[in-house]
Structure formats: C-alpha cells, structure tokens
Amino acid sequence: MKRSTLFLAVGLLFSLAGNAQPIPFKQGDKYGFKNKATGQVVINPIYDRVVPFSEDRALVRRQSKNYFIDQDGKIKIVLEYDSVLSFSEGFAAVKKNGTWGYIDKLGLVKIKLEFPEASSFSQGMAVVKKEGRYGFIDKTGKVVIAPEYGNAFEFSNDLAAVSKDGKFGYINQKGKVVIPFAYQEAGNFMEGAAIVKKGDAYGMIDKTGKVILPVEYEWASVFSDGLVRVQKNKKWGFADKTGSVVIPLNFDWASDFTDGLAKVKVGNKYGFINKSGAEVIKPIYDWAEDFDGNVVMVVKNGTWGALNKTGETVTPFKYKIVRPFSEERAIVNEGGKYGYIDNKGKLVIPAEYDYAYDFVNGWAEVVKDGKSTFIDLRGTCVKYCK
C-alpha cells in the first residue's frame, strides 16, 4: 500500500489541493487558507496543522482536536479518531484503537473499523490489509480483489501496481495480472504512462507494459504539468508521456514544472524555463524561491529582488532581507529597519519598523520602539495606535 498516504493525528500529511479550492498558508506557527488566485485570506490562521481541501473538506487540527471544515471554515465533523485521511470519492479512512474503516461526509461509519491498514478510495476501490496481505474492497466494504499481495497501490487509469515476492507488476480492476511482476518499484499510471524501476535504473512503460522511455535513467519523477523530470549522467531534463525527451538533459538540477515553469540550475546559478525548454528567466541568480503568483524572489550578488514571469525586475536588488509577498506586500529590510514594497517594487510603507509581519486580511503587525501596532495596506495604523 502507498504508505505515504497515511498519517498519525499528531502529524498531518499535506496532499494535493484542487485549483479552485482554498490553499493552505502559514502565519507564524499557525495555518489558515487563502484564495490561490488572489492571495486573499478566506480562513484565518488559527490551526496547528492543516491538510489541503479535498472534495470541499479540509482536515485541520486545533488545540489537540481534529476536524473536517468546509470552505467557509465551518466545522462539519468533529473527529474522535487516532488517524484520519482526506475525503476521496465521498469516504474518509479513519483509525481507532489500531484498526481502520471509513466514514461519510456526515461523519457516519459506512465501513466498520476492522482493517490494520487502509488507503483512500480510487476508482471505486481502496487498498486494505487483511491477514498480513494487501487486497481491495469496494464501497460496501466487500473484498473484491483477494488480499494476496505484499504491497499494493491505488487504482489509476484502471490499473494498480501490486507486488509479489518483492517484484511489482500491474493488475486490472478484475484482479487479472496485465503487466508481469518484473520491477523493483512501480508508480501509478497517469495519462497512460507509469514510471518503473528495474535494478538501479528508472524508465517509463505504457498500459500494455511496453517500454516507452528506456529504463536507463538515474531518476524519473512523477508527471507534473504533463512532463517527467529525468536524470542521467548527473544531468537533468524532461520527457513527455510518449517517452520522448522534449527538453535535453543540460541542467545540473531542475524542479518539476508548475504553472508552465520549472526552476533550473546551471553551474551554481538559478533561472526558469518554460515547457519548450526556453529560458524565460536566465540562470544568472545565486538563488531563486518558488513563484508566489506572478512574482518570484531571487538573490543576485548577495541582495534580494523580485522578478515577474517574463524575467522583468519588479523589485530592485537593494534589500538585504526580503520576505515573500503576502496580499501584494513584501517585507524588506533597509538600513536595519523593516518596511513593505508592492508587487511593482515600489516602497509603499517606509522602512521604519524594528520588525514587521505578513499581512493577513489587510492588516499587519509591526513593532517600533518596543511597541506592537497593526497597520493597513497603506501603512495607516488601525489598532493599538496610542
């Protein structure tokens, strides 16, 4: 079973969030949710841990209690379980006293807690452990593929990776082996292709088991933005779902693609490329953060600045310290004092504070002469002003 999908209640796992749903952010040591497109805070940072939204429910933890909340931040289910997974296909796996079962979106137990291990539902089935082996159940809790495997992953593209005697192959939804047990590792099928490992090398196969990317790479990632990141002879590039190398292995390091861009390293410098392999931000920077919306923080000659997605400078390279943008404001340090710039690089709140915090719902806490106050996006004091 895919062990990485499990988490204890004391350590929640972050999973993928839908693009239209709020995304998590951290403020100090607390978590909340913001609109991905606008950056607006929609659920205040009051939680100790959070998991991204899945099927309009987010798993959160506050004051030693776990809950499912909706997109308005309303508590929908109070959880009295030791471990919980996010909702998938209307069910959430829950664990209590060492056994797993499933609840629905009302919090009602729909499949009784009787399994030592369990995964989320995918394509109508879920991986469970029974009598020391892994098999699959349907949404009534009925075993539909016998527990006879040493390991098993969820169904994807109508196939599931399973193992016997230490080797992985693939079965269909009737439990028939369609790709023989020949691999040390096997990933989920995405867009008709899956990453596999044979010996010490990685490659890619299609749903018939045909090799479409030679099993000769030192590393191959999962698909991201339709491309797979691959490494060979310590160089990185990208292949598509047909197995064709579409961006040559010319980089000393590369990230996965996100929103059409990937961070790359050439020598000791960082930049960004698009999906055709063209440099949209030349690798001339000492370091680069990930993009936050349309802006990325970069370091050049020891100073921070910010660029947009075409590589234009939107924040001058003159600040010793810059925190990432929050609500179109970024904290800068100038002359040992803190202030804020907007996303065009203009200093809109003077650097006059001993310390400054990110904006949340239009307010930010600042400290001056040992006194904390709150200011708005224009720098006007709005709380604790006297």
Side-chain angles (χ1 to χ4, degrees):
M1 182 167 56
K2 194 173 183 180
R3 303 301 198 281
S4 63
T5 59
L6 300 177
F7 65 89
L8 296 176
V10 295
L12 305 184
L13 173 76
F14 283 79
S15 60
L16 295 178
N19 288 337
Q21 300 185 114
I23 60 173
F25 75 98
K26 188 176 183 181
Q27 176 79 36
D29 61 352
K30 299 295 182 181
Y31 295 88
F33 293 86
K34 63 182 179 179
N35 183 291
K36 181 178 180 180
T38 66
Q40 180 183 5
V41 174
V42 293
I43 299 175
N44 286 327
I46 60 174
Y47 301 106
D48 301 316
R49 298 286 182 89
V50 300
V51 173
F53 274 92
S54 176
E55 299 187 358
D56 299 321
R57 296 289 184 270
L59 182 57
V60 299
R61 180 176 176 85
R62 186 183 185 193
Q63 297 177 351
S64 301
K65 288 284 188 178
N66 293 319
Y67 310 92
F68 276 113
I69 61 172
D70 64 15
Q71 294 189 39
D72 294 322
K74 295 178 180 178
I75 294 174
K76 307 303 290 187
I77 304 173
V78 179
L79 296 162
E80 301 293 341
Y81 298 99
D82 302 322
S83 302
V84 188
L85 302 185
S86 294
F87 273 99
S88 178
E89 299 187 1
F91 288 78
V94 294
K95 178 184 178 183
K96 192 168 186 177
N97 299 327
T99 57
W100 289 82
Y102 295 84
I103 62 172
D104 65 13
K105 288 190 175 181
L106 297 177
L108 301 175
V109 175
K110 305 302 289 186
I111 299 174
K112 67 180 182 179
L113 283 67
E114 60 176 332
F115 305 105
E117 294 184 32
S119 76
S120 297
F121 273 92
S122 177
Q123 295 194 237
M125 288 188 276
V127 182
V128 296
K129 189 175 186 180
K130 198 169 185 179
E131 299 176 355
R133 310 294 284 177
Y134 294 94
F136 295 80
I137 59 171
D138 64 17
K139 291 185 178 180
T140 70
K142 177 184 176 182
V143 174
V144 290
I145 297 177
E148 59 182 272
Y149 302 106
N151 209 335
F153 290 74
E154 69 270 15
F155 274 92
S156 176
N157 284 192
D158 302 320
L159 297 179
V162 295
S163 73
K164 276 189 174 181
D165 301 322
K167 294 291 182 71
F168 278 92
Y170 291 86
I171 59 173
N172 63 20
Q173 291 181 301
K174 294 182 179 180
K176 179 182 177 182
V177 176
V178 295
I179 298 176
F181 297 93
Y183 302 102
Q184 274 68 46
E185 296 179 19
N188 289 342
F189 273 92
M190 297 179 65
E191 301 183 41
I195 301 298
V196 293
K197 182 182 181 182
K198 200 168 189 177
D200 293 326
Y202 292 86
M204 190 190 305
I205 60 174
D206 66 15
K207 292 178 69 175
T208 69
K210 178 184 176 182
V211 174
I212 53 177
L213 178 71
V215 185
E216 59 186 32
Y217 291 90
E218 296 154 15
W219 177 254
S221 71
V222 297
F223 282 97
S224 180
D225 261 14
L227 296 179
V228 171
R229 181 168 49 107
V230 293
Q231 181 190 33
K232 189 176 181 180
N233 298 325
K234 299 183 179 180
K235 292 290 186 178
W236 294 83
F238 294 85
D240 65 15
K241 64 182 180 181
T242 70
S244 299
V245 174
V246 292
I247 300 177
L249 283 69
N250 293 331
F251 304 104
D252 295 299
W253 177 82
S255 73
D256 291 328
F257 273 91
T258 303
D259 294 333
L261 295 179
K263 184 169 28 176
V264 295
K265 184 179 181 183
V266 178
N268 293 317
K269 300 296 183 180
Y270 293 85
F272 290 83
I273 60 172
N274 62 21
K275 291 173 71 173
S276 68
E279 294 178 348
V280 293
I281 297 177
K282 291 186 178 299
I284 59 174
Y285 299 99
D286 303 323
W287 174 246
E289 297 284 345
D290 296 324
F291 269 91
D292 181 11
N294 293 317
V295 177
V296 63
M297 297 296 197
V298 295
V299 180
K300 189 176 183 181
N301 299 325
T303 58
W304 285 87
L307 312 175
N308 63 20
K309 286 190 173 182
T310 64
E312 296 174 328
T313 300
V314 295
T315 301
F317 287 84
K318 65 177 183 178
Y319 301 108
K320 293 182 179 178
I321 299 175
V322 177
R323 283 172 58 82
F325 280 94
S326 174
E327 299 187 14
E328 297 186 353
R329 297 291 183 270
I331 302 168
V332 298
N333 184 298
E334 191 173 26
K337 297 291 184 178
Y338 293 85
Y340 296 83
I341 58 173
D342 65 16
N343 58 7
K344 293 184 173 64
K346 180 181 178 182
L347 188 68
V348 290
I349 300 175
E352 61 185 23
Y353 300 103
D354 301 321
Y355 199 73
Y357 296 87
D358 290 336
F359 275 92
V360 177
N361 285 339
W363 288 13
E365 181 181 1
V366 292
V367 180
K368 187 175 182 179
D369 298 329
K371 179 185 176 183
S372 291
T373 59
F374 285 83
I375 60 174
D376 63 18
L377 292 166
R378 294 172 295 181
T380 304
C381 185
V382 292
K383 191 174 182 181
Y384 307 133
C385 300
K386 293 183 180 180

